[in-house]
Amino acid sequence: MPDKAALRLSARVNRAAYVAGLDPLAHRLAFRALPTPVAAMLADRTCIALYAPLDDEAPALRLADALIAQGKALCLPRVIDRMGTMEFRAWTPGDVLEEGRFGTRHPGADASLCHPDAFLAPLVAFDAALMRLGQGDGYYDRAFARYDNALRIGLAWSVQQVDEVPADPWDMRLHLVITERSLIEAAE
């Protein structure tokens, strides 16, 4: 089984090289539409957590307009402390984002507190079993545990799929991964 730190490093290098080599038009068009099966899965969900991407992460905010058109409220994570705590604050396109820890961007503390019932979550790598490898600080693992009935959807570039992501007991599988090429559901 691969070491998480080594896998993170190689996955980041692969992702950066892939995104740098993408045709600019293909990059601009990626993640603009909400796939029909995903829209159906989100039909009874009301508050969707997106994220402001870092570096070459899949651009989740591009899906905001499609989600709003479906009547969804949106929120973004706001890191609270270095202990892995994050909360979710209301956000709509055009809202000013503040600079956060680790180079993140998030709504201000005055934005309404939200309780997402679906996540579109960033990741460093994922496997066919839909195990997610994150940045390594456990923020999303803790949020997934707090909102354990929420739908967990990963957003990734196709190159981020690896053979196996090592899992710890607290890691929660995703329900689905959306890439620029396909929808990936857990292999049964």
Side-chain angles (χ1 to χ4, degrees), residues 11 25 42-43 57 74 82 98 102 105 120 123 129 144 165 175:
L25 180 59
L42 294 173
E57 287 180 333
L74 304 178
R82 288 192 172 276
E98 296 179 353
F102 317 115
R105 295 174 294 137
L120 291 177
L123 52 87
F144 290 166
V165 170
H175 295 106

Side-chain angles (χ1 to χ4, degrees), residues 66-180:
L67 291 164
I68 291 169
Q70 284 196 337
K72 308 302 180 192
L74 304 178
C75 60
L76 297 178
R78 180 181 173 89
V79 172
I80 302 301
D81 58 41
R82 288 192 172 276
M83 300 305 294
T85 307
M86 87 182 155
E87 63 186 10
F88 294 86
R89 297 283 175 166
W91 173 82
T92 57
D95 287 356
V96 175
L97 296 177
E98 296 179 353
E99 293 297 318
R101 294 179 179 186
F102 317 115
T104 59
R105 295 174 294 137
H106 56 249
D110 59 337
S112 298
L113 191 61
C114 297
H115 301 285
D117 53 9
F119 292 91
L120 291 177
L123 52 87
V124 175
F126 70 96
D127 63 20
L130 297 187
M131 290 307 302
R132 173 189 173 273
L133 182 66
Q135 297 290 354
D137 293 319
Y139 287 95
Y140 273 92
D141 293 318
R142 287 176 185 84
F144 290 166
R146 220 168 53 242
Y147 299 103
D148 61 337
N149 290 322
L151 185 63
R152 298 179 303 275
I153 301 172
L155 226 59
W157 297 103
S158 55
V159 72
Q160 292 176 258
Q161 185 168 1
V162 298
D163 290 336
E164 183 180 11
V165 170
D168 288 310
W170 54 84
D171 291 331
M172 296 177 75
R173 293 181 194 284
L174 298 168
H175 295 106
L176 181 75
V177 173
I178 302 170
T179 75
E180 81 285 9

